[in-house]
Amino acid sequence: MNGLPSSAAPAEPTGELTLSEAASLLSGADMASTKALPERGIPSVLMTDGSNGLAMNLPDFSGKVPATCFPTSSALAATWDPALVGQVAGAIAREASAAGADVLLSPGMNLKRSPLGGRNFEYYSEDPLLTGELAVGFVEGVQGEGVGACVKHFVANNQETDRMRVSADVSERALRELYLRAFEEVVTRAKPWLVMASYNRVNGTYVSEDERLLTGILREEWGFDGVVVSDWGAVNDRVRALRAGLDLEMPSTSGASDAQVGAAVDAGTLDADVVHRSARRVADLAVRAAASGTHRGESSTTAPSAADLAITAAERSTVLLRNEHGVLPLAPTAGVAVIGAYASAPRFQGGGSAGVQPKQPAGSIVDAVGARHAGTVEYAPGYADDGLTRDPALLEQAVSVAAAADVAIVVVGSPESAESEGYDRADLGLPEAQNELVAAVAAAARSTVVVVISGGPVRTEAWRTSVDAIVSTGLAGQGVSLGLASILVGDADPGGRLAETWPRELADTPSFLSFPGEGGHSAYGEGIFVGYRGHDRTGGEVAFPFGHGLSYGETRFEDLAVSPSASGWSVEVTVVNVSERAAREVVQLYVEAPDHAARRAPRALVGFAAVAVAPGQTTRVRIEVPRRALERWDEAAACWTLDSGAHTIVAARSSRDAVLRHEIDVVGDDLRMPLTADSTLVEWLEHPAVGPALIAAVTEADPSGRTTGMLTNPMAVLMIGGLPIHRLAVDAGNALTLDLLDRVAGSQTD
């Protein structure tokens, strides 16, 4: 979907732009819009933030335009539902369009390398496939309403500490398999109008100046034909950035960068064609937005109200992490104590540029539960309104109220100051006042439910096994109270699943030793083992694994079948609801790949589907697994490759809860690196054709057998096998010569 009717096409700007006009289009007019050239038929384009709702600043910057506040991306990711994400995105786009915006600067889709990432609430997951699928849903939802989407922050922008200049020092394999992977999916499938270049450097080069990333990969490999825009203030050198493929610098530089571009052309250090190329892209964006604007709203006549959708999204984002003794849903007549200041005024979004001025308040969880629950509902704050301060009197009151109830619901969470754009989280711990409250209530109450409101994982070790149920809402937007109440009383099923691992301790996380780095560098030493890939590789215990989540209903997986398809493999599995309650299930498919050629995660997500299953219903689920999902990036060959051998497709409920398995025999790529004089002796010997030919050639050249013995003696090969073979060819004492190596290599055609 590109936001335009199939019969429509952007009008052509009139006339040939002068160099001055072209250069003027390459920087902003102000903080949020591009420059217009009315005499050339090129209008201005207005851009706004909006990952969990329209975040447009008022003209005088005194606040923001009131808008519907939806769950943040981290919460929406727990739905594992690209269609729902698309609905939310469409609703945001409609409000953006009504406010006059042409482009939504969303979705944010950086991977959660560390749970400490201060902006993680704006991002989807630690897994690239889940991130990519949800981002595709978002982009299609936005552009289906005639508003352009700008995916961000490209690429490896995984921390707030020193975010404007830090170098993400990352291997090519990790970059390709993880950090670029989701962007590739969105660019190739959803065709976003813009891609935003991030502040940071990658392996020493600013992304805004990285021609390999912005042109070689983004445009030439993936076919992106839209506008590359800078993050606000991310351009380090305007001329270098323009050469690399960065079209539009934001915000306005009051003409300074335009002058730099013109001066570089005059000096002969910048080709004028480069300027006109980028100007044409910006002009095309402007006329595309104008043409699309005339059709906005045509697809939204049957859309649900934004307020209702916000509540539905909050419900679906809720994850039931623990539910011992079936304490949830609440028994209809149970006496309930709702405890915690956040129950009166819950957090519902993170801080920074994505913040929304909600049209409707989130309201009180206490009131929402009281309105839906037939039994008594009492409230005690337990800790101070700031979420941080311990108050002995409030604690004593809370324990008393909890002891008198059948079920105590304790609402805790990270304070607003903990999660924001601009800085990373200090740790995963909840404030001690809240941990103390949970422990005291759990000791006094008959049953205890803990509700966690946060943008990411929190440490639960102080009380995880001593409470009966744990519910995670994420930062669920203005619908948090009504959505949570619906889950607690059982009017809706908690169908959410974790999109990131909840570790027991911060020190258990794969990036712990290198995040956020120092001296301007962040070494991605964990490589491809980010999130569950790392946790599962080491086998360490986690609090709650990636993909985990419980339902009130009970389902069974049956009859896993895998068959070849045009793009890879088609996988089918039957989901049976064996309970008397409706259930929402997320079928997760993982692959267990052989790691003889390169180290792999024990399991990697390759597909998923969220399904609603009525009581007693049987549903056959079909999931397409493309070939690329099983491939890895080969560092030496610099390409994607599929390893031959047994691969196991696993139908699971989380990365650690395998239910059904089906082994397939994969015929992969015959990936052979060309042998050169720099290849090692072992690489020559292990080549299936060249190895025997080399032995035969040296045997003929050295009838004494001395050279042959050296090449076939296991101990000798162990000691010298790692040498580039040309270093052995300089020894006159053996038959290896550069001429002999050339003849052997050249005689092999396979």
Side-chain angles (χ1 to χ4, degrees):
M1 303 173 74
N2 62 9
L4 288 174
S6 58
S7 60
E12 284 293 322
T14 58
E16 183 66 30
L17 299 179
T18 66
L19 179 64
S20 177
E21 289 173 329
S24 75
L25 293 178
L26 305 185
S27 63
D30 49 35
M31 282 296 294
S33 58
T34 65
K35 297 192 188 84
L37 293 175
E39 66 280 7
R40 298 294 194 182
I42 301 172
S44 176
V45 175
L46 179 61
M47 297 173 278
T48 179
D49 282 301
S51 59
N52 62 294
L54 177 65
M56 179 184 285
N57 291 307
L58 292 169
D60 61 359
F61 288 89
S62 61
K64 294 191 175 182
V65 175
T68 306
C69 185
F70 292 95
T72 63
S73 298
S74 61
L76 276 178
T79 68
W80 290 59
D81 190 341
L84 178 62
V85 171
Q87 282 186 288
V88 169
I92 297 172
R94 290 191 291 275
E95 293 190 2
S97 179
D102 303 297
V103 168
L104 202 61
L105 300 171
S106 291
M109 46 189 297
N110 295 101
L111 285 196
K112 300 180 183 185
R113 179 187 170 222
S114 166
L116 293 181
R119 214 169 176 179
N120 277 1
F121 62 87
E122 285 191 61
Y123 304 142
Y124 292 114
S125 176
E126 65 191 22
D127 180 82
L129 184 139
L130 180 57
T131 294
E133 292 295 329
L134 297 174
V136 166
F138 192 98
V139 170
E140 291 182 341
V142 169
Q143 296 188 170
E145 296 294 336
V147 174
C150 176
V151 297
K152 63 183 186 183
H153 307 89
F154 185 79
V155 59
N157 187 208
N158 306 111
Q159 64 188 68
E160 294 301 284
T161 302
D162 200 20
R163 66 173 177 154
M164 304 295 189
R165 62 175 185 175
V166 70
S167 177
D169 297 339
V170 56
S171 72
E172 186 70 8
R173 184 182 177 198
L175 189 65
R176 293 282 188 162
E177 291 187 19
L178 300 183
Y179 300 104
L180 287 171
R181 189 69 188 90
F183 284 102
E184 181 180 3
E185 284 296 304
V186 173
V187 167
T188 57
R189 290 169 52 193
K191 311 296 184 184
W193 292 8
L194 301 94
V195 170
M196 182 185 291
S198 56
Y199 290 116
N200 56 287
R201 296 174 290 157
V202 171
N203 296 325
T205 301
Y206 280 104
V207 173
S208 62
E209 301 172 5
D210 196 322
E211 186 173 2
R212 186 180 80 98
L213 289 173
L214 299 185
T215 298
I217 292 176
L218 182 60
R219 294 195 185 279
E220 295 173 359
E221 289 187 26
W222 300 349
F224 178 66
D225 61 359
V227 168
V228 175
V229 60
S230 73
D231 203 341
W232 269 228
V235 172
N236 182 61
D237 182 299
R238 186 61 187 108
V239 174
R240 281 204 296 260
L242 190 56
R243 282 199 212 98
L246 189 139
D247 304 306
L248 175 62
E249 178 181 12
M250 290 296 295
S252 169
T253 63
S254 301
S257 60
D258 305 349
Q260 291 172 7
V261 169
V265 173
D266 291 342
T269 58
L270 178 66
D271 193 326
D273 288 344
V274 173
V275 180
H276 284 284
R277 178 191 63 191
S278 286
R280 172 61 64 180
R281 291 170 183 159
V282 176
D284 287 348
L285 170 67
V287 295
R288 182 183 205 181
S292 182
T294 64
H295 299 278
R296 289 176 191 166
E298 293 179 355
S299 64
S300 59
T301 55
T302 61
S305 77
D308 289 342
L309 182 59
I311 297 169
T312 298
E315 289 176 354
R316 299 276 287 278
S317 298
T318 304
V319 184
L320 181 60
L321 297 172
R322 178 178 171 89
N323 193 24
E324 299 298 302
H325 319 300
V327 66
L328 291 178
L330 296 169
T333 59
V336 174
V338 181
I339 297 170
Y342 284 169
S344 175
R347 284 188 64 213
F348 53 88
Q349 63 178 332
S353 58
V356 176
Q357 177 61 46
K359 284 183 176 179
Q360 297 180 9
S364 162
I365 294 172
V366 182
D367 293 344
V369 173
R372 286 179 177 263
H373 182 56
T376 61
V377 177
E378 301 291 336
Y379 168 66
Y383 50 83
D385 290 345
D386 63 5
L388 299 168
T389 306
R390 179 182 183 275
D391 187 319
L394 293 180
L395 178 62
E396 182 179 355
Q397 177 198 19
V399 170
S400 176
V401 170
D406 296 309
V407 180
I409 300 172
V410 187
V411 182
V412 299
S414 51
E416 187 171 352
S417 60
E419 296 170 300
S420 173
E421 178 182 358
Y423 52 86
D424 291 316
R425 295 171 67 182
D427 54 51
L428 301 183
L430 291 171
E432 279 310 304
Q434 297 184 20
N435 283 326
E436 182 182 19
L437 175 65
V438 173
V441 168
R446 296 179 180 88
S447 298
T448 303
V449 176
V450 177
V451 174
V452 180
I453 298 176
S454 66
V458 300
R459 186 179 184 276
T460 61
E461 291 309 291
W463 41 262
R464 176 168 54 92
T465 59
S466 62
V467 301
D468 299 283
I470 303 174
V471 178
S472 170
T473 66
L475 298 177
Q478 68 184 50
V480 58
S481 295
L482 293 176
L484 175 61
S486 180
I487 296 294
L488 293 175
V489 303
D491 290 346
D493 189 58
R497 302 293 185 267
L498 290 181
E500 57 188 306
T501 306
W502 279 36
R504 294 183 61 189
E505 304 288 348
L506 178 60
D508 298 333
T509 58
S511 62
F512 173 70
L513 292 177
S514 55
F515 183 93
E518 58 188 20
H521 291 265
S522 185
Y524 286 39
E526 68 281 357
I528 65 164
F529 297 104
V530 171
Y532 73 91
R533 286 170 165 81
H535 287 290
D536 294 350
R537 180 78 187 194
T538 61
E541 188 177 347
V542 299
F544 301 105
F546 173 82
H548 172 71
L550 305 174
S551 171
Y552 291 151
E554 182 182 352
T555 62
R556 186 172 65 233
F557 292 179
E558 297 178 347
D559 189 21
L560 176 64
V562 183
S563 58
S565 68
S567 62
W569 295 268
S570 181
V571 181
E572 295 186 0
V573 63
T574 298
V575 180
V576 183
N577 188 332
V578 296
S579 67
E580 297 180 355
R581 291 191 62 101
R584 183 176 179 274
E585 186 59 80
V586 178
V587 179
Q588 301 166 41
L589 296 183
Y590 296 84
V591 65
E592 296 174 354
D595 62 358
H596 57 266
R599 290 195 305 164
R600 309 288 284 265
R603 294 190 185 116
L605 187 72
V606 294
F608 63 91
V611 293
V613 193
Q617 181 182 357
T618 296
T619 300
R620 189 70 171 166
V621 178
R622 182 171 182 165
I623 302 171
E624 294 298 322
V625 177
R627 171 190 167 98
R628 171 61 71 82
L630 271 61
E631 292 179 339
R632 63 175 176 83
W633 182 264
D634 189 275
E635 291 268 12
C639 68
W640 291 98
T641 186
L642 182 62
D643 293 325
S644 296
H647 291 60
T648 301
I649 301 296
V650 178
R653 300 183 192 274
S654 77
S655 73
R656 294 195 172 188
D657 187 5
V659 180
L660 300 174
R661 305 163 65 86
H662 188 290
E663 186 175 289
I664 56 175
D665 187 28
V666 173
V667 178
D669 301 317
D670 185 14
L671 185 64
R672 297 181 186 175
M673 291 297 298
L675 294 175
T676 69
D678 284 324
S679 301
T680 67
L681 172 61
V682 166
E683 289 169 344
W684 278 72
L685 292 174
E686 290 183 348
H687 191 284
V690 173
L694 177 64
I695 296 298
V698 297
T699 299
E700 180 181 355
D702 181 7
S704 72
R706 180 177 180 276
T707 305
T708 304
M710 177 184 70
L711 300 185
T712 57
N713 183 297
M715 184 56 68
V717 172
L718 180 66
M719 298 298 293
I720 65 173
L723 283 172
I725 200 166
H726 73 84
R727 297 186 192 175
L728 298 172
V730 299
D731 183 355
N734 66 63
L736 282 177
T737 64
L738 293 178
D739 287 342
L740 182 144
L741 296 177
D742 286 341
R743 290 197 305 273
V744 171
S747 66
Q748 308 304 315
T749 58
D750 56 350

